Amino acid sequence: MPNDARFDRDVLAARVSMVSTLDRGATTWTSVRATYDEDPPAEPGTPPRSPDEAIAIVRAAIEGTVRRAVGGARRVAVLTGGGVDSAALLAVAVAHARATGGSAFGVALDFEGPGDDRPHLAALEAHLGCAILRVRPEEAAHRAASIAHGVDASPLAWPGAAMEIELLARARAEGAELALMGVGADALFDGDPRDVGSIRRARRLRGFAQPRSPVAAWVLRPAIARRIPRAVRASLARRRAPEAPAWVGPALASFLRRHHERLVAWAFAAERRRQDAPEREHLAWLRHQESIASGLVRRDPFDDASLAAIMQSVPRPWLLHGDVRRGLFRAAMHGLLPESLRQRTDKAGFEPAFTRFVEAAGGFGAFRDLARMTALADLGLVEPRRFAGAFDELAARPRESWGWGDVWPALAVEAFVRSHEERSGG
């Protein structure tokens, strides 16, 4: 970048918050615009006539989106662990490779912790009979420089990005021509517990964090809300303060208010265009950065316009088939996955992996100077004194802390801004 290039403060605010920019073409630099490959128009799916028909349609749709993502590649890697979505992606990719004379293998981050993926991964490996390459978090420590300097002139904010880059690089070394990742499955397949529609189903529903009263949260309150005019509900939603850490500065607070208003407008729009979905720019940019840094193209088959159109045709309550989160998806994966994995409702926490990566990269002491937030304070994005307290809390309890989702991205953006200022003599 030229020395006189200026930061786009709103984009830095988006990277600190790990959300999408308000302007999809904006980049970290005011003088640079990003372009994205737009999805071709997708034909609306024909509504299935029964849950059984929907199960078959979803299975075929997932197989189709994997086939399109793989294209002509002969050797494909799938970033997986032991979660249902990434495991399903590997299973479909392996089946496709065997049918076409290619090969597919898994690449997994190997670590212990709550909701441990490793037993499920071992069961998946045995079930599929394919190779799975395991990489320890410490093996990505040498990627810490990508956090300090960013990738493609932009901060690398996601706390797991350096480890994902290492996984992709190792897959490339094993001959992979491209890699698949299961990003986007939650939005497509999870379902919403407020769609169960009955007290009996609300009491049986599994897989979601349980509120104090499932009946009140998932049946009674939604029924009352549906009686309130849409315009009134939208107005009330706009007035709610967006969630924000205590250490946000005025510029970040302003961005978060505007981002919140955009989310509400999109959620209540009469016709929601998929390319304007609030999370897509953030995920597309991270995918781009990881592909560049690793030298291996990463594709996300679940972020597919045709698949999204098909899933939108499925009645929302059917997604909770069998009264379980991702019930329809699980049913569609019957026979492809080991039952212990297909039926699991817990998920691995990545905090232990993040912690091991940081410890191998020098520990929190190596990042403590960044916690002074001198650069982001000057930009009005962070209040340094409050941030220092949040950093200390994360450093004291990294394996249990929620701070990875807000403290770490701010550290990464601070490192990037300082790095540029040092190179430009600022």
Side-chain angles (χ1 to χ4, degrees):
M1 297 303 301
N3 289 343
D4 60 351
R6 292 188 300 113
F7 290 119
D8 185 319
R9 189 162 56 178
D10 270 3
V11 175
L12 291 180
R15 301 306 177 222
V16 168
S17 309
M18 285 204 307
V19 298
S20 293
T21 57
L22 300 176
D23 174 359
R24 191 163 188 251
T27 74
T28 305
W29 309 96
T30 56
S31 57
V32 179
R33 299 285 296 175
T35 58
Y36 296 85
D37 294 331
E38 294 296 338
D39 296 327
E43 292 294 326
T46 302
R49 292 166 294 184
S50 69
D52 285 344
E53 183 177 344
I55 290 167
I57 288 172
V58 169
R59 171 78 165 256
I62 293 171
E63 292 170 344
T65 194
V66 169
R67 187 166 56 249
R68 288 190 295 276
V70 170
R74 305 297 295 166
R75 183 159 172 77
V76 177
V78 179
L79 272 65
T80 188
V84 179
D85 51 359
S86 64
L89 200 59
L90 178 59
V92 174
V94 167
H96 173 72
R98 288 174 177 162
T100 58
S103 64
F105 64 99
V107 188
L109 199 60
D110 186 25
F111 68 97
E112 77 294 334
D116 200 333
D117 273 345
R118 293 176 303 170
H120 297 287
L121 187 65
L124 179 67
E125 187 175 27
H127 184 82
L128 298 179
C130 76
I132 294 180
L133 175 65
R134 292 165 172 81
V135 179
R136 294 179 295 110
E138 294 83 355
E139 295 177 64
H142 67 104
R143 303 274 175 190
S146 63
I147 299 166
H149 304 299
V151 174
D152 198 20
S154 186
L156 189 67
W158 164 239
M163 291 182 287
E164 289 174 1
I165 290 168
E166 181 65 15
L167 292 176
L168 291 168
R170 296 287 290 274
R172 182 170 176 259
E174 290 294 319
E177 299 168 48
L178 64 86
L180 307 181
M181 195 168 175
V183 172
D186 294 358
L188 286 181
F189 306 124
D190 265 12
D192 189 327
R194 293 170 295 184
D195 292 330
V196 291
S198 75
I199 291 174
R200 180 176 295 178
R201 290 194 68 195
R203 287 172 172 163
R204 292 198 304 255
L205 190 61
R206 297 176 292 115
F208 293 94
Q210 287 288 317
R212 181 174 298 178
S213 171
V215 172
W218 295 342
V219 181
L220 301 182
R221 289 175 192 158
I224 294 170
R226 284 191 287 269
R227 292 175 170 267
I228 301 173
R230 187 182 187 88
V232 175
R233 284 186 282 134
S235 177
L236 292 172
R238 278 193 297 270
R239 294 177 190 175
R240 295 192 193 104
E243 294 184 9
W247 45 259
V248 300
L252 182 52
S254 171
F255 169 82
L256 290 174
R257 284 194 297 271
R258 286 176 283 133
H259 185 266
H260 172 72
E261 290 168 2
R262 179 173 177 265
L263 289 179
V264 172
W266 187 83
F268 284 90
E271 182 177 351
R272 293 186 290 185
R273 299 170 65 244
R274 179 176 176 273
Q275 53 265 45
D276 292 333
E279 78 283 359
R280 294 199 72 222
E281 184 275 342
H282 164 62
L283 298 177
W285 188 256
L286 178 60
R287 179 169 63 239
H288 165 76
Q289 287 184 298
E290 292 187 352
S291 297
I292 286 179
S294 66
L296 182 67
V297 172
R298 178 192 130 191
R299 292 178 183 163
D300 300 334
F302 294 139
D303 184 23
D304 178 273
S306 297
L307 179 60
I310 289 170
M311 294 308 302
Q312 287 169 2
S313 74
V314 176
R316 286 163 54 96
W318 292 4
L319 298 178
L320 304 173
H321 182 73
D323 299 326
V324 63
R325 184 179 188 175
R326 301 192 189 193
L328 193 72
F329 177 70
R330 296 173 194 274
M333 294 299 103
H334 185 269
L336 279 179
L337 301 177
E339 281 300 289
S340 59
L341 193 160
R342 190 176 73 92
Q343 299 289 355
R344 75 177 294 198
T345 57
D346 63 336
K347 296 184 75 170
F350 278 80
E351 292 82 2
F354 299 155
T355 303
R356 285 172 55 177
F357 165 75
V358 169
E359 289 172 347
F364 281 94
F367 299 90
R368 186 166 295 280
D369 182 66
L370 293 173
R372 295 191 299 116
M373 288 286 128
T374 53
L376 297 192
D378 287 345
L379 292 167
L381 295 173
V382 173
E383 201 288 306
R385 290 186 180 179
R386 290 185 176 179
F387 185 88
F391 175 84
D392 288 341
E393 289 180 11
L394 173 60
R397 299 183 300 105
R399 292 176 182 267
E400 299 85 29
S401 176
W402 290 92
W404 290 106
D406 51 40
V407 171
W408 184 264
L411 291 170
V413 177
E414 172 76 13
F416 173 81
V417 172
R418 286 194 197 181
S419 176
H420 171 75
E421 290 177 343
E422 290 169 2
R423 290 197 304 269
S424 62

